[in-house]
């Protein structure tokens, strides 16, 4: 695969991933969305289907890695580092593009970024925070615990992905991406509660950059003080998964 194919494939695939993922978060979060408050299971499946659509689309061009942690795990296992930078670049650009597209889909809802609250003086309107549509936010802010969660959850993603490659029938039948998508759903349902399961530095960083600059009314903070955890944690997890796979298999 050429550098150009890899870059284009990862941009397109990651954009689709984030369009679906940020889209389902917007659907569940934003006022005046028909799917508002539909819950965590909907979010987990929305992200899983995003992986499904993005990875299948990108696979002919780049292999559909869509995640720097996956790319790093593969590089650690194989020792092939020459293409890593182009994968990373395509994934970040694609994640930013996907976040912008999700914003445009829910443009009217973002512009009506308020929620009704009852007060002693009647009904008032307060802004609905929007960062959770784009990036992860920990339920309990504890840097050590949050980092450990992201590391473990990313190992739980990357190690199985590497091991799935040993089952040749999955790749030959075209079902490998489907299995990985279900894996992502499972991680969301089982391990996503503490931090929102970034498990992908591009998935968190790209949309967080976009959130910083988008003209969303009353959008709240982009929480850059936390932003290093969903980047560093998954990268550590991806590297550990590559080392574990290399040692055990």
């Amino acid at each position: 695969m050429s550098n150009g194919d890899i870059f284009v494939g990862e941009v397109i695939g990651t954009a689709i991933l984030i369009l679906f993922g940020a889209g389902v978060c917007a659907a569940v979060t934003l006022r005046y969305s028909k799917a508002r408050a539909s819950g965590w299971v909907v979010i987990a499946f929305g992200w899983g289907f995003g992986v499904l659509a993005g990875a299948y689309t990108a696979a002919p061009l780049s292999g559909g890695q869509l995640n720097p942690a996956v790319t790093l795990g593969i590089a650690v296992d194989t020792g092939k580092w020459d293409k890593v930078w182009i994968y990373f670049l395509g994934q970040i650009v694609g994640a930013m593009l996907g976040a912008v597209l999700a914003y445009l889909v829910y443009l009217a809802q973002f512009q009506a970024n308020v929620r009704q609250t009852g007060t002693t003086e009647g009904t008032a309107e307060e802004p609905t925070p929007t960062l959770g549509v784009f990036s992860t936010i920990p339920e309990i802010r504890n840097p050590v615990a949050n980092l450990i969660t992201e590391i473990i959850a990313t190992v739980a993603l990357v190690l199985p992905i590497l091991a799935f490659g040993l089952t040749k029938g999955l790749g030959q039948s075209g079902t490998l991406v489907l299995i990985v998508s279900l894996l992502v759903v499972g991680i969301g349902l089982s391990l996503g509660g503490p931090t929102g399961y970034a498990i992908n530095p591009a998935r968190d960083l790209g949309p967080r950059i976009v959130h910083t600059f988008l003209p969303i009314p009353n959008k709240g903070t982009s929480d850059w003080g936390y932003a290093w955890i969903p980047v560093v944690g998954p990268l550590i997890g991806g590297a550990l998964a590559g080392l574990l796979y290399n040692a055990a298999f």
Side-chain angles (χ1 to χ4, degrees):
M1 293 177 285
S2 70
N3 286 351
D5 284 346
I6 291 171
F7 179 75
V8 171
E10 292 298 294
V11 168
I12 293 173
T14 310
I16 292 172
L17 164 63
I18 301 301
L19 174 60
F20 276 55
V24 73
C25 289
V28 172
T29 303
L30 294 176
R31 187 171 175 81
Y32 306 117
S33 164
K34 292 182 181 295
R36 187 167 187 259
S38 51
W40 188 252
V41 174
V42 171
I43 289 175
F45 273 95
W47 277 103
F49 290 140
V51 171
L52 183 74
Y56 269 129
T57 303
L61 290 172
S62 65
Q65 297 181 16
L66 314 186
N67 182 342
V70 173
T71 300
L72 181 59
I74 293 171
V76 169
D77 172 49
T78 63
K80 297 178 180 179
W81 294 89
D82 57 315
K83 304 287 187 181
V84 167
W85 70 273
I86 197 70
Y87 275 98
F88 280 13
L89 182 60
Q91 290 155 2
I92 291 291
V93 172
M96 295 175 68
L97 176 60
V100 172
L101 293 174
Y103 164 73
L104 292 174
V105 170
Y106 285 90
L107 180 62
Q109 283 71 29
F110 279 112
Q111 290 178 339
N113 179 35
V114 293
R115 61 182 172 87
Q116 299 288 338
T117 59
T119 70
T120 56
E121 299 178 355
T123 300
E125 291 187 343
E126 294 181 2
T128 301
T130 58
L131 179 60
V133 172
F134 296 90
S135 298
T136 59
I137 303 169
E139 195 67 16
I140 297 175
R141 191 171 294 266
N142 181 320
V144 173
N146 301 152
L147 186 66
I148 290 172
T149 296
E150 286 294 333
I151 291 171
I152 294 173
T154 307
V155 171
L157 171 69
V158 179
L159 185 58
I161 287 175
L162 294 173
F164 292 161
L166 296 176
T167 305
K168 294 182 179 179
L170 288 178
Q172 293 171 348
S173 65
T175 56
L176 178 59
V177 172
L178 174 61
I179 300 302
V180 172
S181 303
L182 292 174
L183 172 63
V184 172
V185 173
I187 290 171
L189 294 175
S190 300
L191 308 177
T195 62
Y197 72 116
I199 60 174
N200 181 338
R203 168 264 178 274
D204 196 274
L205 179 60
R208 196 181 298 268
I209 293 170
V210 168
H211 180 266
T212 300
F213 292 103
L214 282 176
I216 302 172
N218 305 307
K219 66 181 176 182
T221 177
S222 297
D223 197 9
W224 283 102
Y226 178 77
W228 67 274
I229 289 176
V231 173
V232 173
L235 289 176
I236 293 173
L240 286 175
L243 291 171
L244 285 171
Y245 178 80
N246 195 280
F249 296 89

